[in-house]
Amino acid sequence: MWKPGTPLLLLLLLLLWVQSADGELQQEETERRRIPPPGKLDFGYVPAGVYETLAHYEPGPIGILFHMVHAFLYAVQPNAFPHDLIVKLAKDKFRAIQTEYQKPENVVLTLQAIYYEIGFLVCAAVGLLFAVLLPIVGLFFCMCRCCDNCGGEMHQRQRKNADCRRGLLGTLLFSTSLVITMGVLCAYAANQNLSSQVKNIRRLVNSNMRDLHTFANDTPMQIDYLISQYTTAKNKVIYDLNNIGPLLGGRIHDQLDKEVRPALDQVLSMAGAMRETKEALESVGPSLDVLQEGTGKLNLNLSQVRSSINRTLNDPGCHDEESDATSVQLCLNIRQSLSQLQISANFTRLSDVNDQLGKVNDVLKTDLSTIVQRGFSSLNDTPRMVIEQTRSVVESVTDLVDGIGNNISSFSKAFPVQSCLSNFTIFISHAHAKIEDYYPEIDKIDFYRWIGCITLCCMVVLVLAFNYLGLLCGTLGYDKHASPTTRGCISNTGGTMLMAGVGFTFIFSWVLMGVVTAIFLVGGNMEKLVCEPFHTKALFKVADTPYLVHPEWKNFIPGYMYNDSELELTAESLYSTCKENKGIYLAMRLDKIFNISSFLNTTVFTKDVVSQLESVKIDLRSIILLEPEGKQNLLNFSEAGLSEINYADYLEEVNKGVTVVDLLSFARELEAQTDLMPRGPLQTALKGHVSTLRQIHRQQVTPMEQAMNDPDLCVSVKSSLNQSMRFLERTASDLPNKILAVLDAVRDAQFLISQNATHLIKRETRKYTAIITGYFHQYIEWVKTSLAFEVAPCKPFSNMVDTAEIMTCSFLVDSMNTFWMGLGCSTLFLLPSVILAVKLAKYYRRMDTEDVYDDIETIPMKTMEIGNNGYHNEHSQGIPSPLMTSIPTYDTMNRFPRASAPPRHIDW
């Protein structure tokens, strides 16, 4: 037997296939690690049709009446939905209660049902009493009136407040009639609404059927789109395989570069140090020559001045006994200070650096920077080496990827999806045709129903017509001067119509109430037990009760469709998922049904792809970071003799001044002492020496100091020499160990590339493999997501349920409940209408007798013949009176013993 939904299960085997592939692929990846995500693939949007059914109903203005009915039913039945009671009754299927009703548990269930239905039972009892008692009361009322009781006597006592009573009764009857009219209009509106909505059933059914056809027609196209989008993942995989050099080789290069670049940077730094050492050595020689030449000349001139002053101080004026004591003392002081008159920095004692400069020049004949750049170039050639060494692997993986696409296409063709959907479409067409066959019957039934409801409304309208016509005739025909026995024909007709309305009320009201009670019981319970629980999902909870439908099925839907009642698939979840327009795969839980391993061994290609990529062998031993020539160049630099330079002597002399004493200060002091001597040849000679010292300071010391210390000069000799010596001292400091450290770093980096790069290559290869397989994962996840949310969205199935609810509850039940509410309200108000109409008819109908008023002053007794009983006779002295002709000739003494004839004036 064909089960609904079975063809749809086959549509989604593709997802199960890719799910199995996903699980097997994850099983192969035993090492879990965080890796950068592969590039995001864009698979586009799954083509989807548009479902046209709008399963939503807005009743319009009549919705106010629907809400009033719902409020009334809530007042009648405020109890919560009896879930447990219905479940127990459904499980027993009422058999136990019918056969063993005396058992305590069945008595309890019966009491619970009565308690829940107590509101409906009370209202139904009232309706039945109304329907049963009203004909009986009407029969007795008629019999009573036939006996001239119950208002049947055609006599009315005149009262002072008669007009007020008549007006009040007329107003009350008119108001009651208005209420009845409103009830009839509500019933008529509900009747017309149901008829108009029945015409919409065909539109809703056709819309749902078109949606089912859209579902069946779009599903193959959507599955084909899922299959075709494998090309997107395939193209990305092939692109990455073709670019394995930049991707895999680039990552290997980047990882090696982190370890290798510092070593080569040290070599480059050492090459720069060589060039700077040469520059420093080259600047030492000229600076030293300049300083040696300047200090040599200055030392010679100072020695000559010192000798000249000594000779001058040998003058007899400095040591003869006849000499002045002051002059002698001054000469002694001058002689003692001559030792300060000499140079401070002696650069002539510093050795040159020509030998070291020559060795450094020999070292620089080898371009170490070029050698290092060749090492960098060799390292940067890693991507090309990867391309060359993985060419065969890339070709084999490309063939595997093409084979996967062929497997997917052949797998999708292995199942008769199109034929299943064709059968499903045929089933829909046949079902639609059968439904179309029922439309004439539905229209015929609705027509008979409409006629019946109109007939019921016409019963009430007939009573209303007599009430309104009676009120109209009675009001228009009223004459305040007329007595009850002389009322006009129009007024009498109004009273007669009111009594006719009373008669029809007794005839029709029990029928109306019986119909209202029956519709109330059916419609009210439908609203409380079907429609309202459907909106609150309580009805689904009843349907999803375990073991309710079948004693061996926990969940009846999977138990019926898949023979697996343990599967968590409920009516509520199925409806809610389809309501959200998700895929039938997710709604029907198809992922738990099929094991497709027997159809296709999907693990072969994953194992092959992973094994092929992880079998990549990359040999980087051809990468040479530093050639032997470069290593020897570094060793030669360490043997250039920089450590043989006496940097302490250089720095000591550089930091000294030009002379021991400031020549200007010395000259001023010498001049001051000379001024204290007496005038003479000695004083004159010493003043000449003072001038000579000042000239030496001006011509030699000052220019030399400026050349050594002037910061404005572009190149200061002293500063240049100082900087050069300090740089050379830093460079020479532990230079052999520094060179050895650089060589060790280069050797370690080379060892890493040649011997220890295997682990690095495997790690990056696994990451690259994860990126490639990540594209398959993306495709698998996209297929899973698309099947769950976009492929074969099952909104039409939830729309069918919603459409059934709309037709049952919104169209039928709400209209039916509104009909009985309007008709029942009208029927109930017919009771006060009867009472008011009977009382008011007395004031409209023409009476047979009326009260007599005896007034001696105004009524001449001898002009009329009055009997002992107080009533008029038909004739006065043999002359017929026009007024009295309406009085019957029978004996009023016996018939109306309490009445008296009204006074008769002679001028009437």
Side-chain angles (χ1 to χ4, degrees):
M1 178 179 178
W2 187 86
K3 295 181 180 181
T6 301
L8 303 177
L9 304 179
L10 300 177
L11 304 178
L12 304 168
L13 291 176
L14 174 64
L15 173 66
L16 305 175
W17 171 76
V18 294
Q19 260 193 321
S20 177
D22 185 21
E24 296 294 340
L25 184 58
Q26 291 176 352
Q27 185 177 1
E28 294 297 323
E29 296 177 356
T30 56
E31 181 184 357
R32 292 297 180 185
R33 57 196 179 278
R34 291 187 175 273
I35 60 174
K40 185 68 175 178
L41 299 180
D42 183 11
F43 296 103
Y45 297 97
V46 178
V50 178
Y51 298 135
E52 60 180 86
T53 301
L54 264 181
H56 179 71
Y57 173 66
E58 287 293 339
I62 200 172
I64 300 175
L65 299 179
F66 292 168
H67 289 303
M68 292 174 60
V69 173
H70 295 163
F72 176 77
L73 289 176
Y74 179 79
V76 172
Q77 175 55 283
N79 300 321
F81 181 72
H83 176 273
D84 296 336
L85 176 62
I86 292 179
V87 169
K88 292 178 181 178
L89 294 176
K91 283 184 177 181
D92 293 337
K93 298 181 176 61
F94 299 98
R95 290 194 298 264
I97 296 178
Q98 293 174 357
T99 58
E100 301 177 357
Y101 59 90
Q102 293 181 349
K103 285 188 176 182
E105 58 271 18
N106 293 333
V107 173
V108 170
L109 289 177
T110 304
L111 292 177
Q112 288 179 348
I114 294 174
Y115 175 76
Y116 177 78
E117 292 285 337
I118 189 65
F120 287 105
L121 295 178
V122 170
C123 293
V126 172
L128 290 176
L129 286 176
F130 185 97
V132 171
L133 294 180
L134 194 64
I136 298 174
V137 171
L139 178 62
F140 283 102
F141 180 73
C142 292
M143 294 173 63
C144 183
R145 286 183 65 85
C146 289
C147 296
D148 293 333
N149 293 315
C150 302
E153 58 180 351
M154 300 301 292
H155 173 78
Q156 183 181 14
R157 292 184 180 276
Q158 297 196 41
R159 305 175 185 276
K160 293 182 179 181
N161 59 351
D163 292 337
C164 181
R165 288 170 61 85
R166 183 184 63 254
L168 177 62
L169 291 173
T171 302
L172 292 177
L173 180 59
F174 180 75
S175 301
T176 304
S177 299
L178 286 180
V179 174
I180 297 173
T181 303
M182 293 175 62
V184 172
L185 291 177
C186 290
Y188 178 77
N191 185 41
Q192 292 299 115
N193 179 73
L194 180 56
S195 296
S196 62
Q197 297 303 336
V198 167
K199 296 181 177 64
N200 290 330
I201 292 178
R202 179 173 300 186
R203 178 183 59 82
L204 284 173
V205 171
N206 293 341
S207 175
N208 279 276
M209 291 301 172
R210 285 193 296 270
D211 286 347
L212 289 176
H213 281 285
T214 301
F215 171 84
N217 295 332
D218 289 350
T219 299
M221 177 180 61
Q222 293 169 342
I223 293 178
D224 292 340
Y225 182 81
L226 295 185
I227 296 173
S228 66
Q229 284 305 304
Y230 171 75
T231 306
T232 302
K234 169 188 169 183
N235 292 338
K236 183 61 176 175
V237 169
I238 293 176
Y239 175 83
D240 284 3
L241 289 173
N242 294 334
N243 291 273
I244 192 173
L247 295 175
L248 178 57
R251 293 182 63 86
I252 294 174
H253 169 267
D254 293 341
Q255 296 300 318
L256 292 176
D257 190 67
K258 295 177 182 179
E259 304 294 335
V260 172
R261 181 171 291 277
L264 293 181
D265 287 342
Q266 291 181 28
V267 178
L268 279 178
S269 177
M270 197 58 66
M274 291 179 184
R275 291 190 295 271
E276 293 177 357
T277 300
K278 176 188 174 183
E279 294 173 359
L281 291 174
E282 288 177 344
S283 66
V284 169
S287 299
L288 184 60
D289 292 341
V290 170
L291 293 175
Q292 286 178 347
E293 182 182 358
T295 55
K297 291 180 181 180
L298 180 60
N299 188 34
L300 178 60
N301 292 333
L302 290 178
S303 298
Q304 292 176 355
V305 171
R306 191 169 56 248
S307 300
S308 298
I309 294 175
N310 276 326
R311 287 194 299 271
T312 302
L313 293 177
N314 290 333
D315 186 93
C318 288
H319 53 75
D320 289 347
E321 295 178 357
E322 297 178 358
S323 300
D324 185 14
T326 302
S327 298
V328 174
Q329 185 61 38
L330 291 173
C331 289
L332 181 60
N333 293 339
I334 293 172
R335 190 181 300 278
Q336 292 176 352
S337 64
L338 288 178
S339 60
Q340 300 177 0
L341 199 60
Q342 59 183 356
I343 62 174
S344 175
N346 185 11
F347 293 100
T348 57
R349 72 186 184 89
L350 300 177
S351 60
D352 57 26
V353 292
N354 293 331
D355 185 36
Q356 288 82 0
L357 180 59
K359 292 181 179 180
V360 170
N361 285 330
D362 292 338
V363 170
L364 289 176
K365 290 179 181 180
T366 300
D367 191 353
L368 184 60
S369 297
T370 302
I371 296 174
V372 174
Q373 290 302 326
R374 287 201 295 268
F376 276 120
S377 298
S378 179
L379 178 64
N380 293 336
D381 200 37
T382 303
R384 186 192 62 79
M385 297 172 61
V386 171
I387 292 175
E388 294 295 332
Q389 298 179 26
T390 59
R391 193 178 303 277
S392 61
V393 174
V394 168
E395 291 177 356
S396 62
V397 173
T398 302
D399 294 338
L400 287 174
V401 171
D402 291 334
I404 294 171
N406 296 331
N407 290 338
I408 293 177
S409 299
S410 61
F411 176 79
S412 63
K413 294 177 182 178
F415 294 93
V417 176
Q418 190 63 44
S419 61
C420 292
L421 286 175
S422 299
N423 294 334
F424 181 67
T425 304
I426 294 172
F427 171 78
I428 296 172
S429 301
H430 287 175
H432 192 191
K434 289 183 179 180
I435 294 174
E436 291 281 351
D437 293 340
Y438 285 110
Y439 286 146
E441 292 295 329
I442 294 174
D443 293 338
K444 185 177 180 181
I445 293 173
D446 180 68
F447 175 74
Y448 290 146
R449 179 207 57 79
W450 183 84
I451 290 295
C453 292
I454 289 296
T455 301
L456 294 175
C457 292
C458 288
M459 293 180 183
V460 181
V461 170
L462 181 61
V463 175
L464 286 174
F466 282 117
N467 283 353
Y468 286 127
L469 289 175
L471 288 171
L472 180 64
C473 293
T475 302
L476 295 179
Y478 170 71
D479 185 2
K480 64 180 180 179
H481 298 293
S483 65
T485 57
T486 60
R487 288 173 183 156
C489 180
I490 297 177
S491 177
N492 186 58
T493 302
T496 304
M497 287 185 175
L498 290 179
M499 292 307 299
V502 172
F504 282 113
T505 298
F506 285 116
I507 295 173
F508 295 142
S509 58
W510 68 275
V511 177
L512 295 174
M513 184 54 69
V515 173
V516 167
T517 302
I519 299 177
F520 165 75
L521 288 175
V522 176
N525 282 283
M526 284 283 290
E527 174 66 28
K528 299 299 291 186
L529 295 176
V530 177
C531 300
E532 187 177 305
F534 178 84
H535 292 120
T536 61
K537 301 292 183 68
L539 207 59
F540 290 106
K541 293 179 180 178
V542 172
D544 293 331
T545 302
Y547 312 108
L548 176 65
V549 178
H550 194 281
E552 297 180 358
W553 289 351
K554 179 180 179 182
N555 297 308
F556 77 94
I557 294 179
Y560 172 72
M561 300 191 69
Y562 312 135
N563 199 23
D564 181 12
S565 64
E566 297 297 323
L567 184 63
E568 290 299 325
L569 175 59
T570 62
E572 182 180 2
S573 65
L574 178 60
Y575 171 78
S576 300
T577 305
C578 290
K579 186 77 172 177
E580 297 172 2
N581 202 25
K582 295 181 180 179
I584 197 171
Y585 159 76
L586 182 63
M588 298 295 294
R589 297 294 306 275
L590 300 178
D591 56 320
K592 304 296 183 182
I593 305 306
F594 292 98
N595 182 6
I596 63 167
S597 298
S598 57
F599 294 97
L600 180 64
N601 186 5
T602 58
T603 64
V604 173
F605 80 89
T606 57
K607 287 183 177 179
D608 289 342
V609 169
V610 173
S611 61
Q612 285 287 342
L613 290 175
E614 290 187 348
S615 66
V616 169
K617 302 295 182 182
I618 300 175
D619 187 4
L620 302 179
R621 285 178 292 181
S622 60
I623 298 176
I624 304 299
L625 298 179
L626 188 62
E627 299 171 358
E629 184 182 1
K631 297 178 182 179
Q632 187 60 44
N633 187 258
L634 288 174
L635 293 174
N636 292 337
F637 180 60
S638 65
E639 298 172 358
L642 296 180
S643 60
E644 299 173 1
I645 300 174
N646 193 341
Y647 298 103
D649 291 345
Y650 269 92
L651 296 176
E652 180 182 0
E653 296 301 329
V654 168
N655 291 329
K656 290 181 180 180
V658 178
T659 58
V660 176
V661 67
D662 184 18
L663 292 185
L664 288 178
S665 300
F666 187 84
R668 284 194 298 271
E669 185 177 354
L670 180 59
E671 184 179 17
Q673 291 176 352
T674 302
D675 290 339
L676 295 177
M677 294 181 181
R679 294 181 181 274
L682 179 60
Q683 185 185 35
T684 302
L686 290 174
K687 284 187 177 289
H689 292 309
V690 170
S691 299
T692 301
L693 288 173
R694 287 177 175 166
Q695 183 179 4
I696 291 173
H697 182 274
R698 184 174 60 255
Q699 294 179 356
Q700 289 186 292
V701 175
T702 300
M704 187 177 296
E705 288 179 347
Q706 291 177 349
M708 295 172 64
N709 300 318
D710 191 354
D712 295 333
L713 295 176
C714 294
V715 179
S716 175
V717 177
K718 182 180 178 182
S719 175
S720 175
L721 183 60
N722 184 36
Q723 292 177 1
S724 297
M725 283 296 109
R726 291 189 180 279
F727 173 76
L728 291 173
E729 184 182 23
R730 289 195 303 270
T731 303
S733 176
D734 202 20
L735 179 60
N737 293 331
K738 292 180 180 178
I739 296 296
L740 291 177
V742 172
L743 293 175
D744 290 342
V746 173
R747 183 176 63 254
D748 293 341
Q750 186 67 52
F751 184 80
L752 171 65
I753 293 175
S754 303
Q755 304 298 328
N756 292 343
T758 304
H759 175 71
L760 173 66
I761 293 171
K762 288 183 178 180
R763 184 181 65 193
E764 295 303 324
T765 301
R766 285 195 297 268
K767 292 182 179 180
Y768 177 77
T769 303
I771 292 175
I772 295 298
T773 55
Y775 297 129
F776 293 107
H777 282 293
Q778 286 192 53
Y779 176 68
I780 291 170
E781 290 299 324
W782 176 75
V783 170
K784 289 166 59 178
T785 303
S786 299
L787 283 175
F789 298 99
E790 298 180 55
V791 175
C794 58
K795 182 74 171 178
F797 300 101
S798 67
N799 283 343
M800 292 176 63
V801 177
D802 291 337
T803 300
E805 184 273 335
I806 289 173
M807 290 189 296
T808 302
C809 296
S810 300
F811 291 176
L812 178 61
V813 174
D814 283 346
S815 299
M816 185 168 59
N817 288 338
T818 304
F819 180 80
W820 65 249
M821 184 187 71
L823 194 62
C825 178
S826 299
T827 305
L828 287 176
F829 275 87
L830 286 177
L831 286 180
S833 172
V834 167
I835 298 172
L836 295 173
V838 170
K839 288 183 173 292
L840 185 60
K842 277 282 190 178
Y843 294 93
Y844 290 164
R845 298 180 70 186
R846 183 184 302 118
M847 299 290 103
D848 292 338
T849 60
E850 60 185 4
D851 291 338
V852 177
Y853 300 92
D854 295 331
D855 192 345
I856 304 301
E857 296 179 356
T858 58
I859 304 176
M861 298 300 295
K862 58 184 174 181
T863 59
M864 62 179 85
E865 235 178 30
I866 303 173
N868 293 330
N869 53 17
Y871 284 94
H872 292 287
N873 291 329
E874 282 190 33
H875 302 278
S876 178
Q877 297 179 357
I879 302 173
S881 174
L883 177 63
M884 301 304 294
T885 55
S886 61
I887 300 175
T889 57
Y890 47 76
D891 187 7
T892 60
M893 173 63 74
N894 297 323
R895 188 168 180 80
F896 302 106
R898 296 167 298 167
S900 61
R904 181 160 53 183
H905 298 279
I906 58 175
D907 54 349
W908 283 8

